[in-house]
Amino acid sequence: MKEERAPWNWPVTATLGLSFLAAITVVPWYGITQGFSGWAWLFFGVFLILNGIGIGSGYHRLWSHRAYRAHPALRLFLAIFGGMALQNSILVWSARHRIHHSDVDDNEKDPYSIGRGFWFAHIGWMLKDYESGEVDFSLVEDLQKDPIVAWQHRWYWTLVLATNVALPMALGWLVGDLWGVFLLAGILRLVVSHHVTFFINSLAHIWGSQPYTDENSARDNWVISLVTYGEGYHNYHHMFQQDYRNGVRWWQFDINKWFIASCAGLGLAQDLKRVPAFRILRARLNMEFKRAHQRLEQASDAKPWREVLESEYAEFMETVRKWQKLQLQKVQQGRKSLAMRLDTRFRELEFSLKMQRKRLALLTAQLSV
Ligand SMILES: [Zn+2]
Ligand SMILES: [Zn+2]
């Protein structure tokens, strides 16, 4: 009932509604009657990718989560192309996103809680001024110290108009296809960029797997990752939000992860945060044990398996305990030679978890027959 009382946010509703309407009417009509130049398609693709990187590597991983530090030149680039995606300023976006993480799935607090339905999480939360959407700037005090963030917040609407209207029109005029470039690289690019990002709040909280945690609705989904440059590995992300990677396995498609790592190679990004491999494996195993236990409950002849599973679980807890002890030792003995000796032991513990995952997979397979 709170939702019905919330007043409409007309500027946002009109912008999202009209741009969508233009994208499905004027854009195809112009394409059929006039045709689009190769330039128009090129600028469409380039700006779409740059917006995705501005939001994913900038708004999300750099500013909301502080997953790495960036050179001012890189921050300026991310602030401009993230701003062009028309998803509010870095400050507003990050303040809401931090609540989304701390209170995920809480219908009263999470600004785009999936518990209020697909439409609400996708776009509905922006169309009305809900209490859950109110911005608490005290959550982003650290970001307000960044002059580029403060500049972007102050000049946000100028930046939006310059990048969404002036820039495509100027480029269109230069290549002799003013309206074509404006419609594809301006309007259609904006609408596509909007909805693929919105999928992270809607689809990525409904559709996909939960390899790391089932304590929230976030899912890992490679299809969503393809269109969001890696942001679809959302189950991992909600578990380890401080990691600069979302698609943490080397083969997982995550353009933002590769972009940030390349920037680090060029000296434009530092302090890339990675969650230790052991902690990632531990989270996976935890979930796999949980699932094996659930299967055991349903199995007809569970007794012989219960003992095996329990001894495996005890071994798992013992490995975790050893790792925690080693971690403490590492912090206490900062010396390099010792740290190197510890590294071998860390690797051994990682290996023992990997072996345990294999045994557990075999056990679970037998349980399901
Ligand atoms: Zn989420
Ligand atoms: Zn996040």
Side-chain angles (χ1 to χ4, degrees):
M1 61 244 155
K2 200 174 263 177
E3 292 170 28
E4 279 150 29
R5 264 190 275 124
W8 281 96
N9 185 327
W10 288 112
V12 171
T13 306
T15 311
L16 290 175
L18 291 175
S19 58
F20 183 78
L21 208 64
I24 59 166
T25 55
V26 184
V27 173
W29 166 80
Y30 189 88
I32 292 162
T33 56
Q34 311 291 316
F36 291 114
S37 64
W39 284 110
W41 283 112
L42 179 75
F43 292 132
F44 165 81
V46 168
F47 288 143
L48 189 64
I49 294 170
L50 292 183
N51 287 175
I53 288 176
I55 293 292
S57 299
Y59 274 49
H60 190 212
R61 303 190 196 185
L62 173 66
W63 283 299
S64 297
H65 294 301
R66 312 286 301 262
Y68 64 100
R69 288 192 303 115
H71 186 278
L74 175 58
R75 296 210 305 275
L76 185 66
F77 168 83
L78 295 168
I80 291 172
F81 287 105
M84 185 183 182
L86 194 56
Q87 295 182 25
N88 228 316
S89 70
I90 298 161
L91 275 183
V92 172
W93 201 102
S94 302
R96 286 189 177 129
H97 192 72
R98 286 177 179 182
I99 298 184
H100 170 63
H101 276 267
S102 63
D103 294 295
V104 63
D105 300 330
D106 180 330
N107 289 354
E108 301 289 316
K109 293 179 185 163
D110 180 353
Y112 22 86
S113 175
I114 194 68
R116 293 164 82 171
F118 179 92
W119 172 259
F120 180 86
H122 189 74
I123 198 170
W125 68 275
M126 289 174 271
L127 305 182
K128 286 185 177 182
D129 290 325
Y130 295 106
E131 244 175 78
S132 50
E134 275 169 25
V135 182
D136 180 0
F137 285 102
S138 71
L139 294 173
V140 283
E141 271 168 10
D142 56 320
L143 302 182
Q144 295 183 42
K145 291 178 200 139
D146 182 340
I148 291 170
V149 174
W151 164 82
Q152 200 240 25
H153 187 71
R154 182 165 155 68
W155 297 102
Y156 178 68
W157 285 107
T158 313
L159 180 69
V160 162
L161 290 175
T163 48
N164 282 282
V165 181
L167 180 65
M169 283 197 148
L171 288 172
W173 176 76
L174 268 176
V175 299
D177 183 17
L178 192 143
W179 290 108
V181 174
F182 175 70
L183 288 173
L184 280 195
I187 305 287
L188 187 67
R189 180 266 321 157
L190 180 67
V191 172
V192 174
S193 163
H194 268 158
H195 287 276
V196 291
T197 315
F198 300 165
F199 277 147
I200 301 158
N201 297 335
S202 55
L203 267 186
H205 276 269
I206 294 178
W207 177 37
S209 61
Q210 294 182 296
Y212 303 96
T213 178
D214 62 357
E215 278 166 19
N216 61 63
S217 58
R219 302 287 203 272
D220 268 17
N221 186 318
W222 64 269
V223 181
I224 303 173
S225 270
L226 283 184
V227 290
T228 56
Y229 317 102
E231 301 279 279
Y233 292 105
H234 209 53
N235 188 254
Y236 178 82
H237 175 63
H238 268 271
M239 185 72 187
F240 301 114
Q241 54 171 298
Q242 69 274 33
D243 201 315
Y244 85 93
R245 308 157 296 180
N246 279 14
V248 72
R249 325 286 298 273
W250 67 267
W251 47 266
Q252 287 178 328
F253 183 85
D254 184 351
I255 288 186
N256 283 305
K257 153 182 90 176
W258 295 317
F259 174 79
I260 296 165
S262 309
C263 287
L266 294 170
L268 292 167
Q270 298 91 29
D271 295 342
L272 276 54
K273 296 197 180 72
R274 288 181 187 83
V275 171
F278 185 91
R279 283 188 56 206
I280 301 170
L281 272 169
R282 176 187 162 181
R284 286 182 78 94
L285 256 169
N286 232 342
M287 279 306 297
E288 284 156 14
F289 270 116
K290 201 170 177 177
R291 289 192 174 118
H293 271 118
Q294 283 162 358
R295 281 206 181 159
L296 203 65
E297 297 303 314
Q298 293 156 3
S300 50
D301 185 20
K303 216 175 164 215
W305 300 115
R306 194 176 304 272
E307 271 175 35
V308 184
L309 194 64
E310 255 145 42
S311 91
E312 284 288 347
Y313 191 72
E315 195 182 324
F316 169 55
M317 292 316 285
E318 178 59 18
T319 316
V320 168
R321 201 189 53 76
K322 280 186 193 158
W323 185 82
Q324 284 165 338
K325 207 173 140 199
L326 207 60
Q327 200 58 347
L328 198 72
Q329 231 177 317
K330 192 181 169 183
V331 177
Q332 286 165 348
Q333 313 169 339
R335 287 219 324 269
K336 220 178 171 186
S337 58
L338 271 173
M340 268 166 69
R341 238 176 42 217
L342 293 184
D343 271 354
T344 329
R345 287 173 60 196
F346 272 120
R347 271 200 294 276
E348 278 166 14
L349 291 177
E350 256 171 59
F351 183 73
S352 87
L353 277 201
K354 277 183 192 157
M355 288 299 105
Q356 200 169 25
R357 276 197 71 208
K358 288 200 172 135
R359 290 200 303 275
L360 192 59
L362 282 173
L363 181 68
T364 322
Q366 278 167 318
L367 273 173
S368 54
V369 280

